């Protein structure tokens, strides 16, 4: 069975490169279309939905910053089409599932830190996306970067495999 339409979910941090590379390699290998999504979480959600101030300006800045990062990512991966890149507000699990259902996605690709113990109990987006997903989900194992690695510029990510 080969996939027809793959959706890669990116957090737009320096860690998303290996996830995009894996999704792209899979798409190339199966002839599937590749779409990409980033979800900007509304600030009110991060504060538990009960914020006594107007966050709209901050929220706009957050969205603009995400747009800028997404443009950089698209420039880095020329095979990705802007028409297939989605930037939306909401809760990652819900938005990714809805997008998958609405676009006939048959594989969602996410990054995973392989958390265990207390970190697992606290939850992760990859776990969240897996539960109730309308299609297959591939979790690409991400290496836990050292503090020195994290400090390096985005274009120089040790540990990410070049395809
Ligand atoms: P996390 O559990 O937050 O460390 O994220 C694990 C993976 O979930 C990332 O590598 C992405 O594939 C996906 N992810 C996390 N946050 C977002 C987001 N805001 N939008 C889209 N995908 C996300």
């Amino acid at each position: 069975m080969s996939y027809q339409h793959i959706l890669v979910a990116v957090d737009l941090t320096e860690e998303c490169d290996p996830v995009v590379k894996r999704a792209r390699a899979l798409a190339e290998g199966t002839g599937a279309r590749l779409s990409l999504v980033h979800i900007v979480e509304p600030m009110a959600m991060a504060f538990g939905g009960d914020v006594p101030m107007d966050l709209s300006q901050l929220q706009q800045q957050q969205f603009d910053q995400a747009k800028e990062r997404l443009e950089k990512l698209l420039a880095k991966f020329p095979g990705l089409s802007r028409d297939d890149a989605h930037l939306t507000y909401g809760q990652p699990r819900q938005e990714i599932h809805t997008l998958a259902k609405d676009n006939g996605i048959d594989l969602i690709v996410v990054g995973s830190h392989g958390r265990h113990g207390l970190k697992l109990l606290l939850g992760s987006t990859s776990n969240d996306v897996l539960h109730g997903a309308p299609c297959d989900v591939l979790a690409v194992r991400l290496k836990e970067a050292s503090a020195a690695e994290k400090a390096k510029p985005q274009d120089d990510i040790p540990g990410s495999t070049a395809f």
Side-chain angles (χ1 to χ4, degrees), residues 9-11 19 37-39 92 96 109-111 113 115 124-126 142:
V10 290
D11 57 10
V19 185
V37 64
H38 175 72
I39 290 101
I96 291 169
V109 181
V110 289
H113 294 99
R115 294 185 176 97
S124 71
T125 310
S126 47
L142 298 171

Side-chain angles (χ1 to χ4, degrees), residues 29-86:
T30 58
R33 178 174 163 193
L34 181 60
S35 289
L36 180 140
V37 64
H38 175 72
I39 290 101
V40 179
E41 288 187 75
M43 292 202 159
M45 252 184 215
F47 290 102
D50 191 18
V51 199
M53 56 180 158
D54 182 13
L55 293 176
S56 51
Q57 210 179 336
L58 273 176
Q59 209 139 290
Q60 187 57 47
Q61 282 175 9
Q62 194 192 6
F63 198 81
D64 292 345
Q65 195 183 43
K67 220 168 161 183
E68 218 173 276
R69 287 187 182 177
L70 185 63
E71 288 297 333
K72 281 190 186 155
L73 190 72
L74 292 174
K76 209 192 257 187
F77 293 95
L80 287 170
S81 151
R82 183 167 278 98
D83 290 344
D84 288 327
H86 306 267

Side-chain angles (χ1 to χ4, degrees), residues 75-148:
K76 209 192 257 187
F77 293 95
L80 287 170
S81 151
R82 183 167 278 98
D83 290 344
D84 288 327
H86 306 267
L87 187 60
T88 53
Y89 267 122
Q91 197 270 332
R93 174 184 192 265
Q94 200 177 317
E95 295 303 319
I96 291 169
H97 287 181
T98 302
L99 199 69
K101 277 185 211 145
D102 293 351
N103 291 277
I105 301 290
D106 44 12
L107 178 68
I108 299 169
V109 181
V110 289
S112 167
H113 294 99
R115 294 185 176 97
H116 53 273
L118 188 59
K119 280 186 180 171
L120 178 62
L121 283 177
L122 291 173
S124 71
T125 310
S126 47
N127 264 338
D128 223 18
V129 169
L130 179 63
H131 293 289
C135 61
D136 291 357
V137 177
L138 172 68
V140 177
R141 185 82 155 84
L142 298 171
K143 267 212 286 183
E144 210 55 74
S146 67

